[in-house]
Amino acid sequence: MKYALVTGGSRGLGRAICIRLAGMGIPVIINFRGNEIAAQEVSDIIAGNGGKSELMKFDVTDKVGVEAAIDEWERNHPEDYVGYLVNNAGIRNDGVMFMMTDEGWHGVLDTSVNGLFYVTRRLLPKMMMRGHGGRIVNVSSLSGLKGLAGQTNYCAAKSAVIGITRALAQETAARNVTVNAVAPGFIETDMTKDLPQEELIRMIPQKRFGKPEEVAHLVAFLCSEEASYITGQTISINGGLL
């Protein structure tokens, strides 16, 4: 059986993505770092909709923890493998560069870039060995394309995600593994609740923030068979904000 693993799956975009993928009939592994209550709530919603899910606790920045958690899962699922991977885990720690701490820089890069590397590297061999291939969707951001003042760390991290996506897609294409990125603009999540929404809405042609479910539908499409010839792409979802 092909499972989906969604990193940072307990809240925000991850939560919506888990629910949407489960709605496609894909069993979902909900990764979380610390908020087990929130992760269990997502699992309960999936079960209530007739879907299947499991929880998997690890910090994506902890290489040893990532490998231990996946090793244990594989021991318990000898006939299954992760055929869908959504690298969604990410954090913000905004500030202008001349005042940014080392921790503020490295924390953001470690989560989005090193975390993506540790999880993807661990899962790729089995994904590439199977005849059915797989799907990898990396969550980047408008910030990774546009650049925003006060977010040099976040912009660097999300730009790196796009570069990784383009290169990895070429490495895996012959094994029927597609690799794409989505670049959300301003979406209504906990990560954006501290932003000046009224001011930002004036910049967006559609005059609203997006909904997590809208991003989840895009991710679901990229995981589907209908998207089998799409790889190495970054798809923006931002209400027309250029």
Side-chain angles (χ1 to χ4, degrees):
M1 185 176 292
K2 288 171 70 171
Y3 278 71
L5 170 60
V6 181
T7 65
S10 65
R11 298 167 62 188
L13 292 181
R15 177 182 186 275
I17 292 166
C18 287
I19 293 169
R20 181 68 187 89
L21 292 179
M24 295 168 63
I26 300 170
V28 175
I29 303 167
I30 305 164
N31 162 249
F32 67 101
R33 182 178 63 179
N35 194 342
E36 185 169 357
I37 293 174
Q40 186 59 54
E41 288 175 354
V42 179
S43 182
D44 291 343
I45 291 170
I46 290 172
N49 292 334
K52 179 179 179 181
S53 65
E54 302 177 18
L55 304 188
M56 184 184 288
K57 181 178 181 178
F58 62 78
D59 182 341
V60 296
T61 68
D62 177 6
K63 179 182 70 171
V64 174
V66 167
E67 294 184 354
I70 296 174
D71 285 348
E72 180 180 3
W73 185 86
E74 288 183 344
R75 285 194 298 270
N76 294 328
H77 296 78
E79 302 300 321
D80 305 321
Y81 78 108
V82 176
Y84 309 91
L85 170 61
V86 182
N87 287 302
N88 168 72
I91 61 171
R92 276 179 49 222
N93 192 346
D94 295 351
V96 292
M97 180 177 276
F98 80 93
M99 296 178 65
M100 189 172 290
T101 64
D102 290 352
E103 293 77 13
W105 176 265
H106 289 293
V108 172
L109 270 291
D110 283 347
T111 303
S112 287
V113 182
N114 292 342
L116 182 157
F117 170 65
Y118 294 145
V119 177
T120 306
R121 180 181 63 176
R122 177 60 182 76
L123 294 174
L124 266 176
K126 283 196 174 182
M127 196 180 288
M128 295 174 70
M129 283 170 50
R130 303 292 179 121
H132 296 298
R135 301 281 187 268
I136 298 173
V137 181
N138 300 320
V139 178
S140 181
S141 170
L142 170 70
S143 297
L145 295 168
K146 182 179 176 64
L148 293 173
Q151 288 193 334
T152 52
N153 50 1
Y154 192 69
C155 293
K158 293 305 186 179
S159 294
V161 168
I162 292 171
I164 292 168
T165 298
R166 290 172 176 166
L168 185 59
Q170 296 177 64
E171 295 180 8
T172 62
R175 298 297 185 94
N176 195 29
V177 176
T178 66
V179 187
N180 292 290
V182 297
F186 296 107
I187 309 296
E188 293 177 349
T189 66
D190 288 346
M191 190 176 285
T192 61
K193 67 182 180 182
D194 62 329
L195 298 178
Q197 189 166 137
E198 291 185 8
E199 176 183 335
L200 293 170
I201 281 175
R202 290 197 290 270
M203 301 165 49
I204 303 170
Q206 287 197 349
K207 302 302 179 187
R208 67 176 179 89
F209 275 27
K211 299 181 184 302
E213 291 76 15
E214 292 172 311
V215 178
H217 282 295
L218 174 57
V219 172
F221 170 69
L222 292 173
C223 288
S224 71
E225 285 302 311
E226 288 79 5
S228 62
Y229 201 55
I230 302 172
T231 195
Q233 305 305 304
T234 299
I235 303 175
S236 295
I237 177 166
N238 58 31
L241 184 58
L242 302 176

